[in-house]
Structure formats: structure tokens, C-alpha cells
Amino acid sequence: MNNINYLSVIIPVLNEEENIDILISRLSRVLGQREICDRYEIIFVDDGSTDSTRGRVIEACERNDNIKAIFFRRNFGKSAALMAGFKEACGEVILTMDGDLQDEPTEIHKLVNKLNEGYDLVSGWKRTRNDSLEKVVASRIFNWIISRVLRLKLHDFNSGFKIYKSWTVKDIRLSGNLYRFLPVFVERQGGRVAEVPVTHNKRIHGISKYGLKRYLHGLFDLLTMIFLSSFLFRPMYFFGLAGLPLMGLGISGGFYLLVKHLFWLVTGDISYQLNSRPLLIIALGITGLGLSIFLFGLLAELILHVSSATTTPFFYSIEKTISKRQGSERG
Ligand code: UDP
Ligand code: MG
């Protein structure tokens, strides 16, 4: 196994008070052996916990120089927590894992070995999931749909246990729950993506933070992803394609009516008169709709070109950061 020089482990946590200390001791045991990496940092991103998670993380930072922490002002979601972690990470390789002990630190080497085969992202595949039946079935369907629709062959997009070359995620922007689609973002950037089966422990302490709403959000996120992955840098290809035919249809209808209007002028037959035809309203409506969709496209192009020059918008707000190794406490 090729040693990683510096590994950053990012762990988003929301109300995981009973899991923090156990996780740190299991992780430190694995990473301290130096078989995986020469140096490491563990970055906890506290996503607005309301139990004693925050206190436990602060204590851990005081005890252990390898531990850093970011504290959000309130709950911003796992995407935001990961984004903040990616930004703070110093390692050339980044590992993410959940803070609920469902991912097994002793299996990190499986991800590392695969990464060393020349991949840029390796995702843990929870082949046997230790979750409720409802979650397992929904997850299977979700994964099947995503891998078909987005044409990326992975069994488990939802896994929090992943390893990345840091270039793939350093400045990534993730709204909603788009963290599930990280492999798609990486693949679309030209990264090589693979997966390895990992075990999945049962959650012992604390509860899952995602309820039934996740399915609806998952659907919206999928639609966003389809749009983003196909048209992110060329919104006009989408809006133009939808707007132009509608405009064409509406204008042809209008032209047809105009010609008929000329018949009225010649024959005097009132049924040809432009303003007596209901089709006129339909033609105008369709032209207007087509034109609006087309202009949406131009607007999207405008936003794209302006926003690429600006910094990350308000995805999250950091209250405090603890980073002993660099001797700093900010916030
Ligand atoms: N989490 C978070 N912010 C949230 C929801 C979850 O940081 O808004 C963390 C949570 O503490 C855990 C990880 O994300 O470390 C995965 O969450 P959970 O175990 O609830 O998800 P599940 O395993 O049920 O998909
Ligand atoms: Mg979990």
C-alpha cells in the first residue's frame, strides 16, 4: 500500500454526543499505526448540534492536536458541513465518514488501496445495510434510478464513507442534499470513480437525522442533478431548445391567421377576420411562453458568467473554528 502523506478525515456531526469519543478512539487507533498515512487530521464539522456534541468536540480538540473543528451557527445540513470541511482540509487525500459509528474505521485501508489503483474518488458500498427495511428498499430504488439516469455505475450513492483526491472536492459547491451526487460531480470533472464493498454497522447511539422528507428532497435533487450535469455550463442548450420550438409554433400560428386575415380583406367573409379567431390568443400565448423560456436561458447564461467570478454564497455560517496544529482559534 502506498502511504498517503497527509490525510484529512472529515466528519459531519449533528447531535452525536455518545458517538464522538468512541469514534475518535477507533479512528486514532487505525490512523496512528501509520500504515495508511504519515500524518492526519480529523476535522469535525458540528452542524448546529443541540446536545453535548459541541462540548465533546471542543474537549477532543484540547486533548488531541490532530483534531480540528468547525462549528456552524445553526443546522445547515450535511452538504454544507462537507463543503466547509473540504475547504478547511490540508491533506492531499480527503476521507469522509459519518459520525454515527455506522462506518468502520478498520476498513479505511480498503478505500485507500482502491484509490492507489489510480482512482480519484472511491466510494464505500454498503452492500448489506444495517438499516430499516423501508430505508433499504427506498435506497435501492434511488440508487438504481440515479445510476441509470446519470449514467454512472455505482450501487450506493448515499454512503458517507468515501475517499477523494483533494482536487476533486476542494472548491465544490453543494446545495440541498447534493452531497449524494459527489461521485457524479467528480466524474463529470474528468475524475475516475470506483467503489468497494464495506460493512455497515447498526446505529447504536442517537437517531438518524433524515425522515420521510428525504424521498421528496431526493427527487428534487435528482432533477437538479440531471439539469446540472447536462446543462451546467450551457443553460441555453436547454432553455433555447425548449423555447425556440414554442416560439416557432406560436409565430407560425400567427402567420397563418394573418394570411387568412388577407382573405377577409379580399372576400369580405368575416370568419377570416383576425380578431374573431380564438387561435389568435393561443398563438400569442405560445409565442410569449416560448420567448420567456428563451429569455430565461439568456438570464441563466448571464448568472453563470457573473457568479463564477464571485465567492461561495450563503451556504453556511461558521461561528468558530479550532485548529491547534496551526495554533489558531478563529471566530
Ligand atoms: N448530519 C449532519 N447534518 C445533518 C444531518 C446529518 O451533519 O443535517 C450527520 C450525522 O450526524 C451523521 C451523518 O451526517 O454523522 C449521517 O447522518 P445519519 O446517520 O442521520 O444519516 P443516515 O445514516 O440515516 O443516512
Ligand atoms: Mg447513519
Side-chain angles (χ1 to χ4, degrees):
M1 179 158 57
N2 289 338
N3 241 9
I4 296 165
N5 180 23
Y6 197 158
L7 175 72
S8 297
V9 182
I10 299 171
I11 307 172
V13 282
L14 172 64
N15 298 337
E16 304 286 359
E17 56 187 358
E18 288 162 293
N19 295 319
I20 302 284
D21 292 333
I22 308 173
L23 181 57
I24 291 173
S25 83
R26 288 188 193 168
L27 247 181
S28 306
R29 206 173 307 143
V30 171
L31 298 178
Q33 288 168 0
R34 293 178 134 232
E35 277 167 10
I36 288 171
C37 55
D38 292 338
R39 286 190 306 150
Y40 67 92
E41 62 180 356
I42 302 172
I43 306 173
F44 281 99
V45 187
D46 175 38
D47 186 14
S49 294
T50 49
D51 64 359
S52 66
T53 296
R54 194 185 166 100
R56 303 251 173 143
V57 170
I58 292 175
E59 278 169 27
C61 289
E62 280 160 6
R63 279 198 310 269
N64 187 334
D65 282 357
N66 293 319
I67 300 178
K68 292 179 176 179
I70 298 169
F71 301 93
F72 282 175
R73 288 209 156 74
R74 62 166 176 82
N75 175 243
F76 283 92
K78 195 170 165 184
S79 285
L82 289 174
M83 250 196 299
F86 291 146
K87 210 164 185 177
E88 184 69 23
C90 298
E92 81 265 18
V93 174
I94 295 176
L95 176 92
T96 58
M97 62 194 297
D98 288 350
D100 55 3
L101 307 178
Q102 291 197 267
D103 302 326
E104 188 48 63
T106 51
E107 296 200 321
I108 292 176
H109 70 275
K110 290 188 183 172
L111 300 180
V112 175
N113 286 343
K114 194 77 188 168
L115 193 79
N116 284 338
E117 285 177 23
Y119 291 98
D120 299 293
L121 184 164
V122 179
S123 183
W125 165 22
K126 297 164 282 176
R127 204 197 304 236
T128 325
R129 279 189 73 149
N130 253 312
D131 278 322
S132 65
L133 185 67
E134 159 242 312
K135 214 160 146 179
V136 175
V137 173
S139 168
R140 286 257 157 87
I141 297 173
F142 183 73
N143 284 311
W144 188 85
I145 295 174
I146 302 181
S147 67
R148 291 290 170 305
V149 174
L150 296 175
R151 293 187 304 278
L152 178 62
K153 276 212 157 52
L154 281 188
H155 291 89
D156 185 3
F157 284 84
N158 199 28
S159 167
F161 201 25
K162 290 189 173 72
I163 199 160
Y164 312 79
K165 300 257 176 72
S166 82
W167 69 265
T168 58
V169 286
K170 203 65 192 143
D171 298 310
I172 206 147
R173 296 189 203 187
L174 300 168
S175 56
N177 282 317
L178 292 192
Y179 65 87
R180 297 202 184 102
F181 299 95
L182 272 162
V184 182
F185 283 109
V186 171
E187 196 251 1
R188 297 293 193 267
Q189 287 181 80
R192 294 186 65 207
V193 175
E195 67 182 353
V196 284
V198 290
T199 46
H200 186 235
N201 297 328
K202 213 176 167 62
R203 204 188 233 281
I204 311 281
H205 308 292
I207 53 164
S208 167
K209 308 302 180 298
Y210 297 98
L212 284 175
K213 250 198 310 192
R214 75 155 78 201
Y215 301 128
L216 196 61
H217 290 173
L219 179 68
F220 293 147
D221 285 335
L222 178 62
L223 293 177
T224 309
M225 255 335 272
I226 294 171
F227 179 73
L228 283 185
S229 70
S230 313
F231 304 110
L232 177 62
F233 296 112
R234 43 200 176 159
M236 261 323 267
Y237 287 13
F238 177 80
F239 290 104
L241 209 67
L244 265 188
L246 281 179
M247 262 198 291
L249 196 68
I251 291 171
S252 318
F255 188 70
Y256 166 75
L257 292 177
L258 210 62
V259 172
K260 286 282 170 102
H261 192 69
L262 293 178
F263 283 19
W264 168 64
L265 290 177
V266 175
T267 63
D269 183 346
I270 195 129
S271 64
Y272 287 131
Q273 203 180 7
L274 191 61
N275 56 8
S276 67
R277 309 288 301 266
L279 182 62
L280 180 66
I281 299 181
I282 298 173
L284 283 177
I286 291 180
T287 312
L289 185 67
L291 187 66
S292 320
I293 295 176
F294 194 80
L295 291 178
F296 271 150
L298 287 180
L299 203 64
E301 291 279 354
L302 188 88
I303 294 170
L304 178 71
H305 288 275
V306 176
S307 70
S308 55
T310 57
T311 49
T312 318
F314 306 102
F315 283 113
Y316 54 82
S317 168
I318 295 175
E319 189 180 335
K320 180 165 126 159
T321 304
I322 305 177
S323 165
K324 268 266 194 59
R325 197 179 267 283
Q326 286 150 8
S328 69
E329 191 162 319
R330 311 188 290 276

